[in-house]
Amino acid sequence: MSTTVIKNGTIVTADLTYKADVMIEGGVITAIGPNLVGDKSLDATGCYVMPGGIDPHTHLEMPFMGTYSTDDFESGTRAALSGGTTMVIDFALPAPGQSLLEAITMWDNKSTRAHCDYSFHMAITWWGEQVFNEMETVVKDKGITTFKHFMAYKGALMVDDDEMYSSFCRVGELGGIAMVHAENGDVVAQLQAKLLAEGNNGPEAHAYSRPAEVEGEATNRAIMIADMAGTPLYVVHTSCEQSHEAIRRARQKGMRVWGEPLIQHLTLDESEYAHPDWDHAARRVMSPPFRNKMHQESLWAGLSAGSLQVVATDHCAFSTEQKRFGVGDFTKIPNGTGGLEDRMPMLWTYGVTTGRLTMNEFVAVTSTNIAKILNCYPKKGAVLVGADADLVVWDPEKSKTISASTQQSAIDYNVFEGKQLKGLPRYTLTRGRVAVDDGEVKPQEGHGEFVKREPVTPINKALSTWKEVSSPRKVERTGIPATGV
Ligand code: DUC
Ligand code: ZN
Ligand code: ZN
Ligand code: ZN
């Protein structure tokens, strides 16, 4: 098999920064050291060699709000690679009443065109004996160990507290991780109705309908329910201090709880919704909405302090035409923004070059922590012998201005339009295959493979039966201490 060596670079991991070459053979790293010689070489002079990014939260071709998100696994993973991300984790989303296994088959079919590796979380959008039973197969046979619950989107994806508690108990005994979209969906529905009744139907009302308090309340509730159910908890798109504070408190208590800010919430604020152009504001409608500077500072501080562990995108891209479904009624604007291509360079530009994050922290929050929490480390998220050669050769001097006209994403705008980036991939490698070559994207549809993940804690030897968990019961806390990530 032919060998490739990445030469003359500085390796940056979550722990270490040092000069060494990296040898790749058969898609994995086979040697790290000085003066390696291979059949081919990639010059990394002046560059940092880092684990490729992992985006733990995407929605590619997601059926949502009467349409499908426009970026699919083809354009989405191409965008990912262009920005140095080499793995995405998407959500297999059953329609309420649909079999979990059927939803996974649908996502298997969608993902055949992926350019980079991927994995799935399972969304629990309804509750019943079938879901309860299928969860065991999802974990044991499908390699999906993370279960997302929507506490918002009332009447669509939202689950109630009794369903969430029962599901969390099941996740806990299966050794998985419960995930939540934490917003109080009942309060949001009330606020939406009130705002519309008062004639507030524009995109700015979207933000008024989802204040930080609805997120803080739901995060606190999910943490308490996870504690009672004995499951670790991963809070997606943590966007505000109230939610961050709940996560900090839970971790201090010894609970295994993680928080995931998005690059959008870190770098864009609520003033976007006050823009006089309806399209501009509607394109930025997502849930939770962008917040004020105080919340942004809280998120940045959490990343450097370690109380927030990962940076994601929730990439869910809708075209302007799709956004216009909500003209005259903000509740019909498809919720979601893009970011897959921009997460790494935006975080580098606004985090590392400003001194908010060290390079090692950058690697931790874009890749290594994610692989550890979601249990695909060190196959992913590592520059180690034996790890997959999912790597990015990062040129800190390379710059560009973000523009929809040059992006890989299939939508017609970019929420970061005009932002100046400093720090971009020179090469991106997906299992050894060069997908960005000296800055140029060289996609290969179908190269991506599904990554199975094992339970994070042992599966209970005596799993409960449907009858037992259907009547809520108090479960002792596991007392598992929080880990370093
Ligand atoms: N929020 C969004 O903005 N889009 C997709 C789903 C979600 O929770
Ligand atoms: Zn969400
Ligand atoms: Zn999401
Ligand atoms: Zn392609």
Side-chain angles (χ1 to χ4, degrees):
M1 229 178 286
S2 98
T3 53
T4 302
V5 173
I6 301 174
K7 289 200 74 69
N8 310 318
T10 298
I11 295 175
V12 180
T13 71
D15 306 309
L16 298 169
T17 305
Y18 61 104
K19 281 192 108 46
D21 298 341
V22 178
M23 168 100 73
I24 298 160
E25 189 175 355
V28 298
I29 297 171
T30 52
I32 298 171
N35 308 315
L36 300 179
V37 180
D39 302 319
K40 279 186 284 184
S41 61
L42 300 173
D43 181 32
T45 304
C47 290
Y48 301 115
V49 181
M50 307 188 289
I54 302 171
D55 193 329
H57 186 164
T58 68
H59 300 284
L60 301 173
E61 205 185 330
M62 181 205 197
F64 192 46
M65 297 184 74
T67 184
Y68 283 83
S69 59
T70 288
D71 277 320
D72 58 11
F73 277 82
E74 195 288 305
S75 62
T77 56
R78 180 157 42 80
L81 288 166
S82 165
T85 290
T86 53
M87 180 177 175
V88 301
I89 312 186
D90 208 82
F91 292 82
L93 187 86
Q98 189 186 20
S99 146
L100 306 187
L101 303 178
E102 209 175 282
I104 293 170
T105 303
M106 285 169 62
W107 258 257
D108 283 340
N109 292 336
K110 287 177 201 276
S111 56
T112 54
R113 300 175 68 194
H115 298 265
C116 68
D117 287 357
Y118 56 92
S119 189
F120 300 145
H121 308 288
M122 185 81 236
I124 299 297
T125 55
W126 64 291
W127 189 245
E129 187 169 4
Q130 185 184 353
V131 174
F132 176 90
N133 288 329
E134 287 182 344
M135 283 170 82
E136 186 178 350
T137 312
V138 170
V139 170
K140 290 182 175 171
D141 298 349
K142 301 292 179 184
I144 300 174
T145 54
T146 38
F147 293 87
K148 155 99 164 273
H149 304 74
F150 289 90
M151 301 171 78
Y153 303 117
K154 189 175 164 69
L157 303 172
M158 180 169 138
V159 286
D160 296 334
D161 289 351
D162 55 349
E163 296 169 325
M164 202 165 74
Y165 174 72
S166 299
S167 177
F168 278 21
C169 288
R170 186 64 164 160
V171 173
E173 67 179 10
L174 286 167
I177 296 176
M179 306 175 88
V180 279
H181 170 131
E183 287 183 303
N184 185 318
D186 288 315
V187 175
V188 169
Q190 290 282 328
L191 291 173
Q192 286 176 329
K194 182 168 183 282
L195 285 156
L196 286 174
E198 290 166 352
N200 285 306
N201 60 17
E204 69 287 354
H206 171 77
Y208 305 150
S209 73
R210 312 183 94 99
E213 288 73 15
V214 301
E215 185 181 340
E217 186 282 324
T219 305
N220 274 285
R221 181 159 36 103
I223 287 170
M224 294 297 161
I225 292 174
D227 195 6
M228 289 185 277
T231 174
L233 182 72
Y234 181 109
V235 182
V236 305
H237 47 50
T238 307
S239 77
C240 64
E241 163 58 14
Q242 285 87 334
S243 181
H244 178 196
E245 191 266 342
I247 293 165
R248 284 200 302 273
R249 196 156 23 84
R251 289 173 65 83
Q252 203 171 10
K253 248 178 75 181
M255 287 180 66
R256 209 173 240 180
V257 174
W258 303 281
E260 173 206 77
L262 307 182
I263 189 63
Q264 297 93 318
H265 289 118
L266 287 162
T267 59
L268 301 172
D269 68 47
E270 62 186 3
S271 65
E272 301 284 351
Y273 301 117
H275 199 281
D277 176 22
W278 190 96
D279 284 342
H280 179 104
R283 288 162 170 168
R284 285 146 182 88
V285 163
M286 66 170 301
S287 296
F290 302 157
R291 307 289 191 197
N292 67 30
K293 300 260 184 259
M294 180 276 285
H295 294 296
Q296 291 186 316
E297 286 310 316
S298 166
L299 301 182
W300 281 109
L303 288 176
S304 50
S307 50
L308 299 171
Q309 296 74 37
V310 310
V311 174
T313 63
D314 196 5
H315 187 97
C316 187
F318 295 103
S319 66
T320 303
E321 202 187 324
Q322 290 173 307
K323 291 284 184 179
R324 287 183 184 158
F325 294 170
V327 171
D329 180 352
F330 71 88
T331 67
K332 297 200 165 55
I333 302 170
N335 284 202
T337 60
L340 253 176
E341 186 163 359
D342 310 307
R343 179 185 65 132
M344 301 273 283
M346 280 292 290
L347 192 71
W348 184 276
T349 303
Y350 287 86
V352 178
T353 71
T354 59
R356 281 167 154 154
L357 297 177
T358 66
M359 294 194 295
N360 308 93
E361 286 166 349
F362 173 85
V363 171
V365 301
T366 57
S367 183
T368 306
N369 286 359
I370 300 164
K372 286 182 179 175
I373 295 167
L374 300 176
N375 214 16
C376 53
Y377 182 87
K379 174 180 169 65
K380 302 297 186 187
V383 183
L384 287 173
V385 170
D388 282 358
D390 276 11
L391 296 165
V392 61
V393 176
W394 195 263
D395 184 345
E397 296 305 322
K398 201 172 162 70
S399 61
K400 81 168 187 191
T401 304
I402 293 181
S403 165
S405 64
T406 53
Q407 72 186 2
Q408 300 292 323
S409 166
I411 61 169
D412 57 316
Y413 63 91
N414 185 312
V415 295
F416 302 114
E417 185 77 28
K419 299 273 189 222
Q420 309 276 333
L421 298 176
K422 183 130 188 262
L424 284 155
R426 180 183 291 178
Y427 301 106
T428 308
L429 288 84
T430 153
R431 270 182 292 102
R433 187 184 171 276
V434 180
V436 174
D437 190 352
D438 207 5
E440 194 192 328
V441 183
K442 299 254 176 79
Q444 187 179 320
E445 226 173 289
H447 169 80
E449 289 177 358
F450 180 75
V451 177
K452 275 190 162 189
R453 295 177 292 118
E454 296 287 320
V456 287
T457 51
I459 301 180
N460 274 9
K461 286 204 182 75
L463 287 175
S464 62
T465 61
W466 165 247
K467 256 206 188 88
E468 286 171 54
V469 294
S470 58
S471 54
R473 70 213 191 299
K474 175 99 174 103
V475 174
E476 288 302 307
R477 269 194 53 215
T478 56
I480 300 165
T483 59
V485 292

